[in-house]
Amino acid sequence: MKVGLALGSGSARGWAHFGVIRELRALGVSIDIVCGTSVGALVGAALASGNEEAMAEWVARLGWTDVVALMDVSLRGGALQGDKVVEYCAEHFFADRFEALQLPFACVATELSSGREVWLREGLLAPALRASIALPGMFQPQRLGGHWLVDGGLVNPVPVSLCRALGADVVIAVELGAGRATRHMRKAAEEIPTLGAVLATSINIMQTRIARARLAGDPPDVLIQPRLTEFSILDFHRGKEAIEEGVAATRRVRAQIEAVLDGF
């Protein structure tokens, strides 16, 4: 039996993935395949490189000034280039190439010109991750293979299908959008939202709807949904809280995890 872990998109909420991984390890779950979209791709790459705990410790120590220092402001194609954070993580936590990873790993991006879903699983790791996290309006698109690629959350926010394609018999999926769209739509009715709030909320609504549709069509064996409704798109300095909720969310479905794995 091969267990696949599908790590979903969700910007700063994605640090919860580290808590999920930590608790799965504590439950004795062996992860054989990992796939990720957007921030899920970053965490998945660390896991596949064998450095997820080191990256989780770094994330838990991040302060707001550290987050600001990793922002490379741009006026072309997005508010940020997105290179600093990927380069830092690549230097400290990631293998150089897909072929050097300890676990089978792939990530999702979206071809900007066609809207086609793109699965990235060979060659240099950093450019592929940079493409998968290229949230429109926030990060610049990434040029790869002669095409401009953007965030994979536009087409496949929780890559269950990719895990199965890589050979997973059981898929544990982590979806980070639970409650977010509803909260933001309610809050938006109270006051005139800022430009940033409009963009963030619109992307949230879109990705939540897409995730629901994709998960309905290709449901995972276990779905973990951390409750992070109060996290904004840029709350990367709240890593410790997110990790703790990832642990708690996994514990809430412990019985289901054990039942699914015992059935094989």
Side-chain angles (χ1 to χ4, degrees):
M1 179 184 66
K2 291 185 178 181
V3 176
L5 183 61
L7 302 176
S9 60
S11 298
R13 300 187 301 281
W15 294 153
H17 290 317
F18 287 115
V20 172
I21 294 167
R22 187 174 290 173
E23 185 60 17
L24 288 175
R25 297 284 199 211
L27 294 175
V29 177
S30 175
I31 301 168
D32 304 297
I33 295 165
V34 60
C35 298
T37 297
S38 197
V39 67
L42 292 182
V43 178
L47 172 60
S49 299
N51 292 321
E52 74 281 0
E53 273 301 321
M55 188 171 173
E57 291 173 6
W58 171 71
V59 163
R61 294 193 305 267
L62 276 178
W64 178 243
T65 54
D66 301 311
V67 175
V68 172
L70 290 170
M71 293 182 179
D72 37 12
V73 178
S74 167
L75 296 176
R76 299 184 61 188
L80 304 171
Q81 290 180 4
D83 293 332
K84 273 190 178 181
V85 65
V86 173
E87 288 172 0
Y88 181 90
C89 292
E91 180 181 351
H92 293 88
F93 310 119
F94 302 155
D96 290 336
R97 303 180 65 86
F98 281 87
E99 294 79 7
L101 294 170
Q102 298 177 14
L103 294 175
F105 168 71
C107 59
V108 181
T110 305
E111 187 179 72
L112 190 58
S113 61
S114 66
R116 180 174 62 93
E117 181 177 341
V118 179
W119 292 353
L120 303 170
R121 55 173 304 189
E122 60 183 19
L124 292 172
L125 191 60
L129 297 174
R130 173 66 183 73
S132 188
I133 70 166
L135 190 65
M138 185 174 177
F139 292 120
Q140 288 182 356
Q142 172 71 30
R143 187 76 171 174
L144 198 62
H147 303 280
W148 287 108
L149 303 180
V150 293
D151 196 302
L154 299 179
V155 290
N156 194 354
V158 188
V160 174
S161 56
L162 182 51
C163 264
R164 296 201 191 281
L166 264 60
D169 302 302
V170 170
V171 176
I172 299 172
V174 187
E175 193 269 320
L176 299 170
R180 285 290 296 178
T182 302
R183 172 183 175 270
H184 277 277
M185 285 188 284
R186 183 173 63 249
K187 187 175 180 180
E190 299 171 0
E191 56 189 24
I192 299 175
T194 64
L195 175 61
V198 170
L199 182 60
T201 303
S202 299
I203 291 173
N204 246 330
I205 293 169
M206 176 193 64
Q207 290 192 349
T208 299
R209 303 285 185 182
I210 295 171
R212 287 178 185 172
R214 294 296 299 256
L215 290 172
D218 192 4
D221 298 279
V222 178
L223 180 62
I224 300 173
Q225 294 180 297
R227 298 168 183 169
L228 297 166
T229 57
E230 299 304 317
F231 268 58
S232 77
I233 196 171
L234 290 176
D235 278 348
F236 291 102
H237 60 292
R238 299 173 65 184
K240 187 173 183 294
E241 295 174 62
I243 292 171
E244 289 172 353
E245 174 53 23
V247 170
T250 308
R251 288 177 179 170
R252 288 195 291 269
V253 296
R254 174 177 179 172
Q256 185 183 357
I257 293 170
E258 293 175 341
V260 168
L261 297 183
D262 288 345
F264 274 80

